[in-house]
Amino acid sequence: MGRPPCCDKEGVKKGPWTPEEDIMLVSYVQEHGAGNWRTVPSNTGLRRCSKSCRLRWTNYLRPGIKRGSFTEDEEKMIIQLQALLGNKWAAIASYLPERTDNDIKNYWNTHLRKKLKKIQESPLCHHSISRGQWEKKLQTDINKAKQALNEALSLDKPNLILPELKPSNGYLSYSKPTQGSVYASSTENIARLLKGWVKKTPKLEQANSSSMNETTTASSEGDQTGPKEESVDLSEAYESLFGFESFESSNSEFSQSTSPDASLVQDESKPDVGDHFPLSMLENWLLDEGLVQGKEELTDFSFDINADLFV
DNA sequence: AACTACTACAACCGCGCTGCG
DNA sequence: ACGCAGCGCGGTTGTAGTAGT
């Protein structure tokens, strides 16, 4: 016997949230903190189920969420992390503090999956190594990395960094807000929403997202995803997807490229994680001798893709 | 201008895990 | 030990917006 749906009650509203509902939810969370979602609908008067409230908060209203198109660096991180972790969107999201798992998942499904597929199907992929071989090798590398993760997680390692990287140390830490500044970001979110609600035009959105990109990416030179994506040069696509030198350089670029606002929010909201966001920490950890037997092999994981594609 | 097809993304659904009585 | 409730996560769906004809 399955659990009954949480939202099958009469009079429970579904569908898009209105700004009024958002405001009610935000002001409630501001006052009481996130959590105990069960009581939220009754205490706020919202005709929504608790789950819907939690989801709305987590994916949309929570402070520190960056919206708009993904930067190249974010794309690269997602691609690498997806290859490494699989569809563990929450885990992947923990490395992209300003993005929600839902956002990343959607972006993967709508953009990156297609992009990767396109590239894998391209003739270049068959040049030095057949697609099947490449996939097999990739799978092997992924399995090795996964195995290393599993082994490491089962080890008793007091100094291990990774446990600090679990999602619960990320956005879930909002459940106990520290008052004030954190919620200023919430207010920003609401203001943004209301703005969009009142005069939402494609041009405005485009302008917003492009201006956002300007502030978030120093090096992207108008090479954003969009209708243009279809005509993107193949070599450019390869470079875009796999042409980064290493996790660390990519990561440092990423941390530098975040806007002042974003870094402020990040500092406020993710105190446990620190300034430099730790993809390199994962890499270091994975490559840490003693944890991974085939250290060279794993290092190759980052570069073999390039090698195979470009040789 | 009207219709259709496609895309992007917000929201929902169902399952599994965890903590508590 | 067991059952229940709450929550988190991943997969899927619904719908608004956009492009193409």
Side-chain angles (χ1 to χ4, degrees):
Chain A
M1 196 170 83
R3 184 187 304 178
C6 75
C7 305
D8 63 351
K9 288 182 229 156
E10 286 287 324
V12 173
K13 192 181 168 192
K14 290 185 179 182
W17 281 65
T18 64
E20 290 81 11
E21 288 176 311
D22 285 338
I23 289 167
M24 286 165 81
L25 181 58
V26 168
S27 55
Y28 176 83
V29 173
Q30 194 162 357
E31 203 173 329
H32 299 92
N36 203 7
W37 295 107
R38 183 80 172 171
T39 61
V40 172
S42 53
N43 289 348
T44 56
L46 282 166
R47 289 168 57 205
R48 298 275 182 175
C49 76
S50 55
K51 200 170 180 176
S52 183
C53 294
R54 177 175 55 82
L55 220 59
R56 183 65 182 172
W57 172 259
T58 308
N59 290 334
Y60 215 84
L61 301 174
R62 180 166 61 84
I65 291 178
K66 183 167 117 189
R67 306 208 67 79
S69 47
F70 282 66
T71 66
E72 265 184 55
D73 289 316
E74 285 174 317
E75 265 191 26
K76 290 168 188 172
M77 285 176 79
I78 292 167
I79 290 165
Q80 287 271 6
L81 287 165
Q82 204 279 340
L84 191 65
L85 303 170
N87 294 357
K88 303 291 176 192
W89 304 117
I92 293 170
S94 69
Y95 293 93
L96 293 159
E98 298 167 313
R99 302 291 188 180
T100 67
D101 53 353
N102 204 41
D103 229 9
I104 293 170
K105 182 173 62 182
N106 283 331
Y107 190 67
W108 174 266
N109 287 333
T110 53
H111 292 86
L112 297 179
R113 202 165 54 178
K114 279 182 220 160
K115 214 167 170 178
L116 280 173
K117 194 180 171 191
K118 202 169 159 185
I119 284 168
Q120 282 174 14
E121 282 170 354
S122 77
L124 265 177
C125 271
H126 304 274
H127 189 65
S128 65
I129 183 170
S130 78
R131 188 180 158 203
Q133 281 175 313
W134 184 81
E135 283 174 352
K136 200 174 172 183
K137 182 164 168 45
L138 182 64
Q139 191 57 51
T140 310
D141 289 331
I142 291 167
N143 287 339
K144 280 179 191 164
K146 280 180 178 171
Q147 194 185 341
L149 273 167
N150 284 333
E151 283 172 11
L153 286 170
S154 64
L155 290 174
D156 185 28
K157 252 199 132 202
N159 293 331
L160 194 63
I161 297 164
L162 199 68
E164 292 183 55
L165 304 178
K166 63 186 177 181
S168 58
N169 282 343
Y171 51 82
L172 299 184
S173 63
Y174 291 116
S175 58
K176 297 205 171 158
T178 53
Q179 300 286 324
S181 58
V182 170
Y183 286 104
S185 311
S186 257
T187 317
E188 282 172 26
N189 281 346
I190 287 290
R192 220 161 46 203
L193 282 165
L194 287 171
K195 200 171 157 189
W197 180 269
V198 172
K199 42 175 182 179
K200 188 173 181 182
T201 68
K203 279 175 187 169
L204 176 68
E205 273 202 335
Q206 209 166 13
N208 282 343
S209 70
S210 67
S211 68
M212 182 181 245
N213 289 332
E214 277 169 27
T215 56
T216 52
T217 344
S219 62
S220 65
E221 299 185 356
D223 160 35
Q224 299 303 319
T225 57
K228 197 185 162 191
E229 184 182 296
E230 289 301 317
S231 61
V232 72
D233 181 38
L234 195 59
S235 59
E236 250 183 67
Y238 279 124
E239 198 172 356
S240 162
L241 287 171
F242 301 117
F244 40 109
E245 292 156 37
S246 71
F247 274 132
E248 258 177 300
S249 65
S250 163
N251 193 40
S252 63
E253 277 173 30
F254 172 66
S255 59
Q256 281 169 8
S257 66
T258 48
S259 67
D261 278 347
S263 59
L264 182 67
V265 169
Q266 183 176 325
D267 287 344
E268 284 171 353
S269 56
K270 298 215 34 156
D272 296 344
V273 177
D275 294 332
H276 42 285
F277 210 69
L279 182 53
S280 59
M281 288 160 76
L282 173 65
E283 188 190 30
N284 289 339
W285 170 76
L286 277 172
L287 300 178
D288 191 10
E289 48 186 358
L291 282 174
V292 181
Q293 290 173 343
K295 186 177 175 178
E296 294 81 11
E297 290 169 346
L298 262 180
T299 315
D300 285 342
F301 172 66
S302 304
F303 296 98
D304 263 1
I305 296 169
N306 287 334
D308 290 341
L309 290 174
F310 290 112
V311 167

